[in-house]
Amino acid sequence: AAAPLPLRIADFQEVLGEPTVALAKLRDLCFSGIPFDGGLRCLCWKILLNYLPLEKALWSPLLKKQRDLYSQFLKEMIIQPGIAKANLGVSREDVTLEDHPLNPNPDSRWNTYFKDNEVLLQIDKDVRRLYPDMAFFQRPTDYPCLLILDPQNEFETLRKRVEQTTLKSQTVARNRSGVTNVSSPLKTTPNTLNEYEVLPNGCEAHWEVVERILFIYAKLNPGIAYVQGMNEIVGPLYYTFATDPNSEWKEHAEADTFFCFTNLMAEIRDNFIKSLDDSQCGITYKMEKVYSTLKEKDVELYLKLQEQNIKPQFFAFRWLTLLLSQEFLLPDVIRIWDSLFADDKRFDFLLLVCCAMLTLIRDQLLEGDFTLNMRLLQDYPISDVHLILKKAKELQDSK
Protein backbone atom coordinates (compact mmCIF):
# COMPACT_ATOMS: atom_id res chain seq x y z
CA ALA A 1 0.00 0.00 0.00
CA ALA A 2 1.18 3.52 -0.69
CA ALA A 3 2.41 5.52 2.28
CA PRO A 4 0.18 8.41 3.47
CA LEU A 5 0.63 11.63 1.52
CA PRO A 6 2.66 13.70 4.05
CA LEU A 7 5.17 10.86 4.32
CA ARG A 8 5.41 10.48 0.55
CA ILE A 9 5.91 14.22 0.12
CA ALA A 10 8.69 14.07 2.71
CA ASP A 11 10.32 11.19 0.79
CA PHE A 12 10.29 13.25 -2.41
CA GLN A 13 11.62 16.34 -0.65
CA GLU A 14 14.46 14.33 0.82
CA VAL A 15 15.58 12.94 -2.56
CA LEU A 16 15.17 16.32 -4.27
CA GLY A 17 16.94 18.09 -1.40
CA GLU A 18 20.31 16.43 -2.08
CA PRO A 19 22.93 18.43 -4.05
CA THR A 20 22.85 15.61 -6.61
CA VAL A 21 19.52 13.87 -7.14
CA ALA A 22 19.74 10.07 -6.85
CA LEU A 23 17.98 9.11 -10.07
CA ALA A 24 17.26 5.49 -9.18
CA LYS A 25 15.60 6.53 -5.90
CA LEU A 26 13.64 9.26 -7.65
CA ARG A 27 12.41 6.85 -10.35
CA ASP A 28 11.26 4.45 -7.65
CA LEU A 29 9.25 7.14 -5.89
CA CYS A 30 7.77 8.57 -9.10
CA PHE A 31 6.74 5.16 -10.37
CA SER A 32 4.09 4.95 -7.64
CA GLY A 33 2.69 8.37 -8.51
CA ILE A 34 4.01 11.87 -7.83
CA PRO A 35 2.16 14.22 -5.49
CA PHE A 36 1.02 17.46 -7.11
CA ASP A 37 1.77 19.37 -3.90
CA GLY A 38 4.51 21.96 -3.87
CA GLY A 39 5.14 21.55 -7.59
CA LEU A 40 6.74 18.14 -7.03
CA ARG A 41 5.31 16.57 -10.17
CA CYS A 42 6.45 19.43 -12.42
CA LEU A 43 9.95 19.22 -11.02
CA CYS A 44 10.17 15.42 -11.22
CA TRP A 45 8.92 15.34 -14.81
CA LYS A 46 11.58 17.87 -15.79
CA ILE A 47 14.25 15.60 -14.31
CA LEU A 48 12.77 12.36 -15.71
CA LEU A 49 12.52 13.88 -19.19
CA ASN A 50 16.20 14.89 -19.06
CA TYR A 51 15.47 18.61 -19.11
CA LEU A 52 17.03 19.25 -15.70
CA PRO A 53 20.38 17.65 -14.83
CA LEU A 54 20.86 15.72 -11.60
CA GLU A 55 23.26 18.35 -10.16
CA LYS A 56 21.06 20.98 -8.61
CA ALA A 57 23.71 23.70 -8.87
CA LEU A 58 23.29 23.57 -12.66
CA TRP A 59 19.54 24.20 -12.63
CA SER A 60 19.45 28.00 -12.56
CA PRO A 61 22.00 28.64 -15.32
CA LEU A 62 20.49 25.90 -17.50
CA LEU A 63 16.94 27.20 -17.15
CA LYS A 64 18.03 30.72 -17.95
CA LYS A 65 19.91 29.55 -21.03
CA GLN A 66 17.02 27.40 -22.35
CA ARG A 67 14.36 30.03 -21.73
CA ASP A 68 16.46 32.67 -23.52
CA LEU A 69 16.92 30.24 -26.38
CA TYR A 70 13.15 29.78 -26.58
CA SER A 71 12.65 33.56 -26.83
CA GLN A 72 15.16 33.51 -29.66
CA PHE A 73 13.04 30.86 -31.45
CA LEU A 74 9.97 33.06 -31.05
CA LYS A 75 11.81 36.01 -32.57
CA GLU A 76 13.19 34.03 -35.49
CA MET A 77 10.19 31.90 -36.36
CA ILE A 78 7.17 33.98 -35.49
CA ILE A 79 8.16 37.62 -35.20
CA GLN A 80 10.59 37.94 -38.11
CA PRO A 81 8.42 36.19 -40.72
CA GLY A 82 5.54 38.34 -39.43
CA ILE A 83 7.55 41.53 -39.89
CA ALA A 84 8.71 40.47 -43.34
CA LYS A 85 5.11 39.80 -44.33
CA ALA A 86 3.99 43.22 -43.03
CA ASN A 87 6.84 45.02 -44.81
CA LEU A 88 6.36 43.24 -48.10
CA GLY A 89 2.72 44.16 -48.01
CA VAL A 90 3.45 47.84 -47.48
CA SER A 91 6.42 48.69 -49.66
CA ARG A 92 5.79 47.44 -53.18
CA GLU A 93 9.10 48.66 -54.56
CA ASP A 94 11.10 46.37 -52.25
CA VAL A 95 9.66 43.24 -53.76
CA THR A 96 12.40 41.91 -55.97
CA LEU A 97 11.82 39.32 -58.64
CA GLU A 98 13.70 36.78 -56.53
CA ASP A 99 11.25 36.80 -53.69
CA HIS A 100 7.62 37.38 -54.49
CA PRO A 101 4.62 35.21 -53.57
CA LEU A 102 4.46 33.47 -56.95
CA ASN A 103 8.14 32.57 -57.07
CA PRO A 104 8.34 28.81 -57.85
CA ASN A 105 11.86 28.50 -56.36
CA PRO A 106 11.63 26.12 -53.36
CA ASP A 107 14.15 28.24 -51.41
CA SER A 108 12.00 31.33 -51.66
CA ARG A 109 11.04 32.82 -48.31
CA TRP A 110 7.46 33.00 -49.54
CA ASN A 111 7.44 29.35 -50.43
CA THR A 112 8.53 28.50 -46.89
CA TYR A 113 5.90 30.85 -45.57
CA PHE A 114 3.07 29.13 -47.47
CA LYS A 115 4.33 25.66 -46.50
CA ASP A 116 4.44 26.74 -42.86
CA ASN A 117 0.88 27.93 -43.15
CA GLU A 118 -0.29 24.47 -44.17
CA VAL A 119 1.34 23.01 -41.06
CA LEU A 120 -0.02 25.82 -38.93
CA LEU A 121 -3.59 25.20 -40.10
CA GLN A 122 -3.35 21.51 -39.24
CA ILE A 123 -2.00 22.34 -35.77
CA ASP A 124 -4.67 24.99 -35.29
CA LYS A 125 -7.44 22.56 -36.14
CA ASP A 126 -6.11 20.00 -33.66
CA VAL A 127 -5.28 22.25 -30.70
CA ARG A 128 -8.69 23.88 -30.76
CA ARG A 129 -10.09 20.47 -29.84
CA LEU A 130 -7.81 19.67 -26.93
CA TYR A 131 -9.73 18.24 -23.98
CA PRO A 132 -13.08 19.83 -24.84
CA ASP A 133 -14.51 18.45 -21.60
CA MET A 134 -12.22 20.75 -19.58
CA ALA A 135 -12.37 24.53 -19.50
CA PHE A 136 -8.63 24.88 -18.89
CA PHE A 137 -7.37 25.17 -22.47
CA GLN A 138 -9.94 27.85 -23.30
CA ARG A 139 -9.03 30.02 -20.34
CA PRO A 140 -6.61 32.93 -20.69
CA THR A 141 -3.09 32.33 -19.42
CA ASP A 142 -1.78 34.59 -16.64
CA TYR A 143 1.45 34.90 -18.59
CA PRO A 144 0.61 35.82 -22.19
CA CYS A 145 3.64 36.12 -24.44
CA LEU A 146 4.45 39.84 -24.31
CA LEU A 147 6.94 39.60 -27.15
CA ILE A 148 4.03 38.73 -29.42
CA LEU A 149 0.95 40.28 -27.85
CA ASP A 150 2.18 43.85 -27.47
CA PRO A 151 -0.62 45.92 -29.07
CA GLN A 152 2.04 48.16 -30.66
CA ASN A 153 3.14 45.22 -32.81
CA GLU A 154 2.49 45.72 -36.48
CA PHE A 155 3.64 42.26 -37.48
CA GLU A 156 1.56 39.26 -38.31
CA THR A 157 1.04 36.91 -35.35
CA LEU A 158 0.16 33.22 -35.67
CA ARG A 159 -3.39 34.19 -34.78
CA LYS A 160 -3.58 36.60 -37.74
CA ARG A 161 -1.88 34.09 -39.99
CA VAL A 162 -4.49 31.48 -39.20
CA GLU A 163 -7.33 33.94 -39.79
CA GLN A 164 -5.94 35.08 -43.13
CA THR A 165 -4.93 31.63 -44.35
CA THR A 166 -8.27 30.12 -43.41
CA LEU A 167 -9.99 32.70 -45.54
CA LYS A 168 -7.81 31.77 -48.48
CA SER A 169 -7.40 28.06 -48.35
CA GLN A 170 -9.19 24.81 -47.94
CA THR A 171 -8.44 22.65 -44.96
CA VAL A 172 -5.36 20.58 -45.26
CA ALA A 173 -5.89 16.89 -45.62
CA ARG A 174 -2.45 15.70 -44.63
CA ASN A 175 -3.63 12.88 -42.42
CA ARG A 176 -1.56 9.86 -41.87
CA SER A 177 -3.52 6.73 -42.67
CA GLY A 178 -4.97 5.26 -39.54
CA VAL A 179 -4.40 8.34 -37.45
CA THR A 180 -7.72 9.80 -38.47
CA ASN A 181 -9.28 7.71 -35.76
CA VAL A 182 -6.97 9.18 -33.17
CA SER A 183 -9.62 10.46 -30.82
CA SER A 184 -11.72 7.97 -28.95
CA PRO A 185 -15.52 8.14 -28.87
CA LEU A 186 -15.24 9.00 -25.18
CA LYS A 187 -13.40 12.21 -25.94
CA THR A 188 -15.31 13.49 -28.93
CA THR A 189 -18.18 15.82 -28.24
CA PRO A 190 -21.29 15.66 -30.38
CA ASN A 191 -21.18 19.36 -31.10
CA THR A 192 -18.20 20.16 -33.28
CA LEU A 193 -18.91 23.85 -32.99
CA ASN A 194 -17.48 24.02 -29.52
CA GLU A 195 -14.02 24.60 -30.89
CA TYR A 196 -12.26 27.27 -28.92
CA GLU A 197 -13.03 30.91 -29.53
CA VAL A 198 -10.24 33.43 -29.95
CA LEU A 199 -9.91 35.73 -26.93
CA PRO A 200 -9.79 39.52 -27.31
CA ASN A 201 -6.47 41.21 -28.16
CA GLY A 202 -3.91 41.24 -25.39
CA CYS A 203 -5.25 37.96 -23.97
CA GLU A 204 -4.11 34.55 -24.95
CA ALA A 205 -5.78 31.21 -24.25
CA HIS A 206 -3.78 28.17 -23.16
CA TRP A 207 -4.58 26.39 -26.44
CA GLU A 208 -2.85 29.20 -28.34
CA VAL A 209 0.30 28.64 -26.29
CA VAL A 210 0.18 24.94 -27.20
CA GLU A 211 -0.24 25.93 -30.85
CA ARG A 212 2.92 28.06 -30.70
CA ILE A 213 4.93 25.26 -29.04
CA LEU A 214 3.90 22.82 -31.79
CA PHE A 215 4.54 25.31 -34.58
CA ILE A 216 8.08 25.99 -33.35
CA TYR A 217 8.70 22.27 -32.91
CA ALA A 218 7.56 21.66 -36.50
CA LYS A 219 9.87 24.41 -37.80
CA LEU A 220 12.87 23.04 -35.91
CA ASN A 221 12.19 19.40 -36.85
CA PRO A 222 11.38 19.50 -40.56
CA GLY A 223 11.99 15.75 -40.90
CA ILE A 224 8.86 15.01 -38.93
CA ALA A 225 7.28 18.51 -38.76
CA TYR A 226 3.82 18.06 -37.27
CA VAL A 227 1.80 14.86 -37.24
CA GLN A 228 -1.72 14.70 -35.93
CA GLY A 229 -1.67 13.36 -32.38
CA MET A 230 1.36 15.37 -31.22
CA ASN A 231 -1.16 17.81 -29.76
CA GLU A 232 -2.28 14.99 -27.45
CA ILE A 233 1.30 14.52 -26.22
CA VAL A 234 2.03 18.17 -25.58
CA GLY A 235 -1.36 18.82 -23.90
CA PRO A 236 -0.78 16.95 -20.61
CA LEU A 237 2.80 18.28 -20.33
CA TYR A 238 1.71 21.87 -20.77
CA TYR A 239 -1.27 21.45 -18.45
CA THR A 240 1.00 20.06 -15.73
CA PHE A 241 3.53 22.88 -16.02
CA ALA A 242 0.94 25.64 -16.44
CA THR A 243 -0.86 24.61 -13.24
CA ASP A 244 2.35 24.41 -11.18
CA PRO A 245 1.61 25.87 -7.72
CA ASN A 246 5.03 27.55 -7.83
CA SER A 247 4.61 30.76 -9.85
CA GLU A 248 8.31 31.13 -10.77
CA TRP A 249 8.03 27.84 -12.65
CA LYS A 250 4.53 28.41 -13.90
CA GLU A 251 5.54 31.67 -15.57
CA HIS A 252 7.91 29.73 -17.84
CA ALA A 253 5.52 26.87 -18.60
CA GLU A 254 5.70 27.53 -22.34
CA ALA A 255 9.47 27.30 -22.74
CA ASP A 256 9.81 24.42 -20.27
CA THR A 257 7.02 22.47 -22.00
CA PHE A 258 8.69 23.02 -25.35
CA PHE A 259 11.98 21.46 -24.25
CA CYS A 260 10.37 18.60 -22.31
CA PHE A 261 8.12 17.87 -25.30
CA THR A 262 11.15 17.91 -27.61
CA ASN A 263 12.97 15.43 -25.35
CA LEU A 264 9.93 13.19 -25.06
CA MET A 265 9.38 13.27 -28.84
CA ALA A 266 13.03 12.29 -29.36
CA GLU A 267 12.15 9.06 -27.56
CA ILE A 268 8.77 8.35 -29.16
CA ARG A 269 8.94 10.10 -32.53
CA ASP A 270 9.55 6.80 -34.32
CA ASN A 271 5.91 5.98 -33.57
CA PHE A 272 4.90 8.97 -35.68
CA ILE A 273 7.16 8.28 -38.66
CA LYS A 274 5.41 6.17 -41.25
CA SER A 275 8.56 4.92 -42.98
CA LEU A 276 9.81 3.30 -39.77
CA ASP A 277 6.64 1.36 -39.12
CA ASP A 278 8.16 -2.05 -39.72
CA SER A 279 11.60 -1.40 -38.28
CA GLN A 280 12.71 -2.50 -34.82
CA CYS A 281 11.92 0.91 -33.41
CA GLY A 282 8.73 1.53 -35.36
CA ILE A 283 5.18 1.30 -34.11
CA THR A 284 4.32 -2.01 -35.86
CA TYR A 285 7.07 -3.75 -33.95
CA LYS A 286 5.73 -2.35 -30.66
CA MET A 287 2.17 -3.38 -31.48
CA GLU A 288 3.32 -6.92 -32.21
CA LYS A 289 5.15 -6.83 -28.89
CA VAL A 290 1.90 -6.13 -27.05
CA TYR A 291 0.49 -9.35 -28.52
CA SER A 292 3.60 -11.44 -27.88
CA THR A 293 3.61 -10.24 -24.25
CA LEU A 294 -0.10 -11.06 -23.97
CA LYS A 295 0.61 -14.52 -25.39
CA GLU A 296 3.12 -15.09 -22.57
CA LYS A 297 0.78 -13.84 -19.86
CA ASP A 298 -2.63 -15.04 -21.03
CA VAL A 299 -2.55 -17.43 -23.96
CA GLU A 300 -6.30 -18.06 -23.95
CA LEU A 301 -7.12 -14.39 -24.43
CA TYR A 302 -4.39 -14.05 -27.03
CA LEU A 303 -5.83 -16.91 -29.09
CA LYS A 304 -9.34 -15.50 -28.85
CA LEU A 305 -8.23 -12.11 -30.27
CA GLN A 306 -6.24 -13.89 -32.99
CA GLU A 307 -9.19 -16.06 -33.90
CA GLN A 308 -11.46 -13.01 -34.21
CA ASN A 309 -8.78 -11.37 -36.34
CA ILE A 310 -8.58 -8.38 -33.98
CA LYS A 311 -5.25 -6.92 -34.98
CA PRO A 312 -3.26 -4.80 -32.55
CA GLN A 313 -3.30 -1.85 -34.99
CA PHE A 314 -7.06 -1.54 -34.43
CA PHE A 315 -6.50 -0.22 -30.91
CA ALA A 316 -2.86 -0.51 -29.77
CA PHE A 317 -1.73 1.96 -32.42
CA ARG A 318 -3.48 4.76 -30.59
CA TRP A 319 -2.69 3.45 -27.11
CA LEU A 320 1.04 3.30 -27.83
CA THR A 321 1.53 6.30 -30.09
CA LEU A 322 -0.32 8.68 -27.80
CA LEU A 323 0.87 7.11 -24.51
CA LEU A 324 -2.77 6.38 -23.59
CA SER A 325 -3.60 10.10 -23.53
CA GLN A 326 -6.85 9.47 -25.42
CA GLU A 327 -8.13 6.57 -23.35
CA PHE A 328 -8.53 8.27 -19.98
CA LEU A 329 -9.40 11.63 -18.45
CA LEU A 330 -6.52 14.08 -18.13
CA PRO A 331 -5.78 13.60 -14.38
CA ASP A 332 -5.59 9.85 -14.97
CA VAL A 333 -3.37 10.26 -18.01
CA ILE A 334 -1.01 12.35 -15.88
CA ARG A 335 -0.92 9.61 -13.23
CA ILE A 336 -0.07 6.98 -15.88
CA TRP A 337 2.68 9.24 -17.22
CA ASP A 338 4.28 9.40 -13.74
CA SER A 339 4.94 5.68 -14.10
CA LEU A 340 5.89 5.80 -17.78
CA PHE A 341 8.43 8.61 -17.33
CA ALA A 342 9.86 6.84 -14.28
CA ASP A 343 10.43 3.61 -16.23
CA ASP A 344 14.18 3.30 -16.75
CA LYS A 345 13.63 1.04 -19.75
CA ARG A 346 11.65 3.87 -21.31
CA PHE A 347 8.15 2.79 -22.19
CA ASP A 348 8.63 -0.97 -21.85
CA PHE A 349 6.19 -0.52 -19.01
CA LEU A 350 3.68 0.92 -21.49
CA LEU A 351 3.49 -2.49 -23.22
CA LEU A 352 2.65 -4.05 -19.85
CA VAL A 353 -0.01 -1.41 -19.18
CA CYS A 354 -1.61 -2.28 -22.54
CA CYS A 355 -1.52 -5.98 -21.60
CA ALA A 356 -3.02 -5.20 -18.21
CA MET A 357 -5.84 -3.32 -19.93
CA LEU A 358 -6.56 -6.39 -22.04
CA THR A 359 -6.41 -8.91 -19.19
CA LEU A 360 -8.64 -6.77 -16.95
CA ILE A 361 -11.49 -7.10 -19.47
CA ARG A 362 -10.62 -10.69 -20.46
CA ASP A 363 -14.01 -12.13 -19.39
CA GLN A 364 -15.89 -9.66 -21.57
CA LEU A 365 -13.49 -10.22 -24.45
CA LEU A 366 -13.73 -14.00 -24.21
CA GLU A 367 -17.52 -13.79 -24.39
CA GLY A 368 -17.85 -11.02 -26.98
CA ASP A 369 -17.99 -11.24 -30.74
CA PHE A 370 -15.80 -9.16 -33.08
CA THR A 371 -18.06 -6.09 -33.07
CA LEU A 372 -18.53 -6.03 -29.34
CA ASN A 373 -14.84 -6.55 -28.65
CA MET A 374 -13.81 -3.84 -31.08
CA ARG A 375 -16.13 -1.48 -29.27
CA LEU A 376 -14.59 -2.41 -25.90
CA LEU A 377 -11.09 -1.79 -27.21
CA GLN A 378 -11.91 1.42 -29.05
CA ASP A 379 -13.68 2.85 -26.02
CA TYR A 380 -12.01 1.20 -23.08
CA PRO A 381 -14.52 0.55 -20.26
CA ILE A 382 -12.38 0.68 -17.10
CA SER A 383 -11.59 4.14 -15.81
CA ASP A 384 -9.72 3.16 -12.63
CA VAL A 385 -6.11 3.68 -13.67
CA HIS A 386 -4.78 2.59 -10.26
CA LEU A 387 -6.24 -0.85 -10.88
CA ILE A 388 -4.64 -0.93 -14.33
CA LEU A 389 -1.22 0.19 -13.07
CA LYS A 390 -1.35 -2.32 -10.22
CA LYS A 391 -2.11 -5.11 -12.71
CA ALA A 392 0.71 -3.93 -15.01
CA LYS A 393 3.12 -4.01 -12.07
CA GLU A 394 2.03 -7.59 -11.27
CA LEU A 395 2.72 -8.58 -14.88
CA GLN A 396 6.13 -6.93 -14.64
CA ASP A 397 6.98 -8.74 -11.42
CA SER A 398 5.82 -12.10 -12.75
CA LYS A 399 8.58 -12.25 -15.37
Side-chain angles (χ1 to χ4, degrees), residues 338-363:
D338 288 345
S339 296
L340 293 184
F341 296 166
D343 171 20
D344 60 345
K345 295 208 178 48
R346 278 335 212 193
F347 309 116
D348 272 12
F349 187 67
L350 178 59
L351 300 172
L352 293 168
V353 175
C354 294
C355 273
M357 287 168 68
L358 295 170
T359 53
L360 284 170
I361 54 169
R362 76 184 300 266
D363 296 350

Short mmCIF file of all heavy atoms in Angstrom, two decimals, residues 338-363:
data_model
loop_
_atom_site.label_atom_id
_atom_site.label_comp_id
_atom_site.label_asym_id
_atom_site.label_seq_id
_atom_site.Cartn_x
_atom_site.Cartn_y
_atom_site.Cartn_z
N ASP A 338 3.31 9.48 -14.85
CA ASP A 338 4.28 9.40 -13.74
C ASP A 338 5.05 8.09 -13.84
O ASP A 338 6.28 8.05 -13.74
CB ASP A 338 3.57 9.44 -12.37
CG ASP A 338 3.01 10.81 -12.01
OD1 ASP A 338 3.39 11.81 -12.66
OD2 ASP A 338 2.19 10.88 -11.07
N SER A 339 4.31 7.00 -14.04
CA SER A 339 4.94 5.68 -14.10
C SER A 339 5.73 5.48 -15.39
O SER A 339 6.82 4.90 -15.38
CB SER A 339 3.88 4.57 -14.00
OG SER A 339 3.25 4.61 -12.73
N LEU A 340 5.19 5.98 -16.50
CA LEU A 340 5.89 5.80 -17.78
C LEU A 340 7.22 6.56 -17.80
O LEU A 340 8.24 6.04 -18.24
CB LEU A 340 5.01 6.28 -18.95
CG LEU A 340 3.75 5.49 -19.24
CD1 LEU A 340 3.06 6.05 -20.47
CD2 LEU A 340 4.04 4.01 -19.44
N PHE A 341 7.19 7.81 -17.32
CA PHE A 341 8.43 8.61 -17.33
C PHE A 341 9.45 8.04 -16.35
O PHE A 341 10.66 8.20 -16.53
CB PHE A 341 8.14 10.07 -16.98
CG PHE A 341 7.27 10.79 -17.98
CD1 PHE A 341 6.69 12.02 -17.67
CD2 PHE A 341 7.04 10.26 -19.24
CE1 PHE A 341 5.89 12.69 -18.59
CE2 PHE A 341 6.23 10.92 -20.17
CZ PHE A 341 5.66 12.14 -19.84
N ALA A 342 8.96 7.37 -15.29
CA ALA A 342 9.86 6.84 -14.28
C ALA A 342 10.48 5.51 -14.71
O ALA A 342 11.44 5.04 -14.10
CB ALA A 342 9.11 6.64 -12.96
N ASP A 343 9.96 4.92 -15.77
CA ASP A 343 10.43 3.61 -16.23
C ASP A 343 11.82 3.74 -16.85
O ASP A 343 11.99 4.43 -17.85
CB ASP A 343 9.41 3.10 -17.28
CG ASP A 343 9.87 1.86 -18.02
OD1 ASP A 343 10.77 1.16 -17.51
OD2 ASP A 343 9.32 1.58 -19.09
N ASP A 344 12.82 3.09 -16.24
CA ASP A 344 14.18 3.30 -16.75
C ASP A 344 14.39 2.61 -18.09
O ASP A 344 15.30 2.93 -18.83
CB ASP A 344 15.24 2.87 -15.73
CG ASP A 344 15.14 1.41 -15.38
OD1 ASP A 344 14.08 0.80 -15.69
OD2 ASP A 344 16.09 0.86 -14.81
N LYS A 345 13.51 1.67 -18.43
CA LYS A 345 13.63 1.04 -19.75
C LYS A 345 12.82 1.81 -20.78
O LYS A 345 12.57 1.34 -21.88
CB LYS A 345 13.15 -0.41 -19.70
CG LYS A 345 14.05 -1.26 -18.81
CD LYS A 345 14.06 -2.70 -19.23
CE LYS A 345 14.98 -3.55 -18.38
NZ LYS A 345 14.81 -3.34 -16.93
N ARG A 346 12.36 2.99 -20.39
CA ARG A 346 11.65 3.87 -21.31
C ARG A 346 10.52 3.20 -22.06
O ARG A 346 10.72 2.67 -23.16
CB ARG A 346 12.64 4.48 -22.32
CG ARG A 346 13.39 5.67 -21.80
CD ARG A 346 12.62 6.31 -20.72
NE ARG A 346 12.85 7.77 -20.70
CZ ARG A 346 12.49 8.52 -19.70
NH1 ARG A 346 11.91 8.00 -18.67
NH2 ARG A 346 12.69 9.82 -19.74
N PHE A 347 9.37 3.19 -21.50
CA PHE A 347 8.15 2.79 -22.19
C PHE A 347 8.01 1.29 -22.43
O PHE A 347 7.09 0.86 -23.09
CB PHE A 347 7.97 3.58 -23.50
CG PHE A 347 8.09 5.06 -23.26
CD1 PHE A 347 9.11 5.81 -23.82
CD2 PHE A 347 7.21 5.70 -22.40
CE1 PHE A 347 9.24 7.17 -23.55
CE2 PHE A 347 7.33 7.06 -22.12
CZ PHE A 347 8.34 7.79 -22.70
N ASP A 348 8.92 0.48 -21.87
CA ASP A 348 8.63 -0.97 -21.85
C ASP A 348 7.41 -1.19 -20.98
O ASP A 348 6.60 -2.07 -21.24
CB ASP A 348 9.81 -1.74 -21.23
CG ASP A 348 10.83 -2.11 -22.28
OD1 ASP A 348 10.73 -1.56 -23.40
OD2 ASP A 348 11.72 -2.92 -21.99
N PHE A 349 7.32 -0.38 -19.94
CA PHE A 349 6.19 -0.52 -19.01
C PHE A 349 4.86 -0.25 -19.72
O PHE A 349 3.83 -0.82 -19.38
CB PHE A 349 6.38 0.40 -17.81
CG PHE A 349 5.35 0.19 -16.72
CD1 PHE A 349 5.32 -1.01 -16.00
CD2 PHE A 349 4.41 1.15 -16.42
CE1 PHE A 349 4.36 -1.23 -15.01
CE2 PHE A 349 3.45 0.95 -15.43
CZ PHE A 349 3.43 -0.24 -14.72
N LEU A 350 4.91 0.62 -20.74
CA LEU A 350 3.68 0.92 -21.49
C LEU A 350 3.10 -0.35 -22.12
O LEU A 350 1.88 -0.53 -22.16
CB LEU A 350 3.99 1.97 -22.57
CG LEU A 350 2.85 2.38 -23.50
CD1 LEU A 350 1.67 2.96 -22.74
CD2 LEU A 350 3.33 3.40 -24.54
N LEU A 351 3.97 -1.23 -22.61
CA LEU A 351 3.49 -2.49 -23.22
C LEU A 351 2.76 -3.32 -22.17
O LEU A 351 1.74 -3.95 -22.45
CB LEU A 351 4.67 -3.29 -23.78
CG LEU A 351 5.49 -2.60 -24.88
CD1 LEU A 351 6.74 -3.41 -25.23
CD2 LEU A 351 4.66 -2.37 -26.14
N LEU A 352 3.29 -3.29 -20.93
CA LEU A 352 2.65 -4.05 -19.85
C LEU A 352 1.32 -3.42 -19.45
O LEU A 352 0.37 -4.11 -19.10
CB LEU A 352 3.59 -4.14 -18.65
CG LEU A 352 4.85 -4.98 -18.89
CD1 LEU A 352 5.86 -4.79 -17.77
CD2 LEU A 352 4.51 -6.46 -19.04
N VAL A 353 1.25 -2.09 -19.50
CA VAL A 353 -0.01 -1.41 -19.18
C VAL A 353 -1.07 -1.82 -20.22
O VAL A 353 -2.21 -2.13 -19.88
CB VAL A 353 0.15 0.14 -19.15
CG1 VAL A 353 -1.19 0.82 -18.94
CG2 VAL A 353 1.12 0.55 -18.05
N CYS A 354 -0.67 -1.86 -21.50
CA CYS A 354 -1.61 -2.28 -22.54
C CYS A 354 -2.08 -3.72 -22.30
O CYS A 354 -3.27 -4.04 -22.46
CB CYS A 354 -0.97 -2.18 -23.92
SG CYS A 354 -0.59 -0.48 -24.40
N CYS A 355 -1.15 -4.59 -21.90
CA CYS A 355 -1.52 -5.98 -21.60
C CYS A 355 -2.46 -6.04 -20.41
O CYS A 355 -3.42 -6.82 -20.41
CB CYS A 355 -0.27 -6.79 -21.25
SG CYS A 355 0.46 -7.45 -22.71
N ALA A 356 -2.16 -5.23 -19.40
CA ALA A 356 -3.02 -5.20 -18.21
C ALA A 356 -4.43 -4.78 -18.61
O ALA A 356 -5.42 -5.35 -18.15
CB ALA A 356 -2.44 -4.24 -17.17
N MET A 357 -4.52 -3.80 -19.50
CA MET A 357 -5.84 -3.32 -19.93
C MET A 357 -6.61 -4.45 -20.62
O MET A 357 -7.82 -4.58 -20.45
CB MET A 357 -5.69 -2.11 -20.87
CG MET A 357 -5.28 -0.84 -20.13
SD MET A 357 -4.77 0.52 -21.24
CE MET A 357 -6.31 0.94 -22.05
N LEU A 358 -5.90 -5.27 -21.36
CA LEU A 358 -6.56 -6.39 -22.04
C LEU A 358 -6.99 -7.47 -21.03
O LEU A 358 -8.11 -7.96 -21.07
CB LEU A 358 -5.64 -7.00 -23.09
CG LEU A 358 -5.29 -6.09 -24.29
CD1 LEU A 358 -4.19 -6.72 -25.13
CD2 LEU A 358 -6.53 -5.81 -25.14
N THR A 359 -6.07 -7.81 -20.11
CA THR A 359 -6.41 -8.91 -19.19
C THR A 359 -7.50 -8.50 -18.21
O THR A 359 -8.27 -9.35 -17.76
CB THR A 359 -5.17 -9.41 -18.42
OG1 THR A 359 -4.54 -8.30 -17.79
CG2 THR A 359 -4.17 -10.08 -19.33
N LEU A 360 -7.60 -7.21 -17.90
CA LEU A 360 -8.64 -6.77 -16.95
C LEU A 360 -10.05 -6.88 -17.55
O LEU A 360 -11.03 -6.90 -16.82
CB LEU A 360 -8.38 -5.34 -16.48
CG LEU A 360 -7.26 -5.19 -15.44
CD1 LEU A 360 -6.91 -3.73 -15.24
CD2 LEU A 360 -7.63 -5.83 -14.11
N ILE A 361 -10.14 -6.92 -18.89
CA ILE A 361 -11.49 -7.10 -19.47
C ILE A 361 -11.56 -8.45 -20.19
O ILE A 361 -12.35 -8.65 -21.10
CB ILE A 361 -11.87 -5.94 -20.43
CG1 ILE A 361 -10.82 -5.73 -21.53
CG2 ILE A 361 -12.09 -4.64 -19.66
CD1 ILE A 361 -11.26 -4.79 -22.64
N ARG A 362 -10.72 -9.40 -19.74
CA ARG A 362 -10.62 -10.69 -20.46
C ARG A 362 -11.96 -11.41 -20.50
O ARG A 362 -12.32 -11.98 -21.53
CB ARG A 362 -9.52 -11.56 -19.88
CG ARG A 362 -9.84 -12.26 -18.56
CD ARG A 362 -8.64 -13.02 -18.02
NE ARG A 362 -8.18 -14.07 -18.94
CZ ARG A 362 -8.56 -15.33 -18.88
NH1 ARG A 362 -9.43 -15.73 -17.98
NH2 ARG A 362 -8.08 -16.22 -19.73
N ASP A 363 -12.74 -11.39 -19.40
CA ASP A 363 -14.01 -12.13 -19.39
C ASP A 363 -14.95 -11.60 -20.45
O ASP A 363 -15.58 -12.37 -21.19
CB ASP A 363 -14.67 -12.07 -18.00
CG ASP A 363 -13.81 -12.77 -16.94
OD1 ASP A 363 -12.82 -13.45 -17.35
OD2 ASP A 363 -14.08 -12.63 -15.74
#
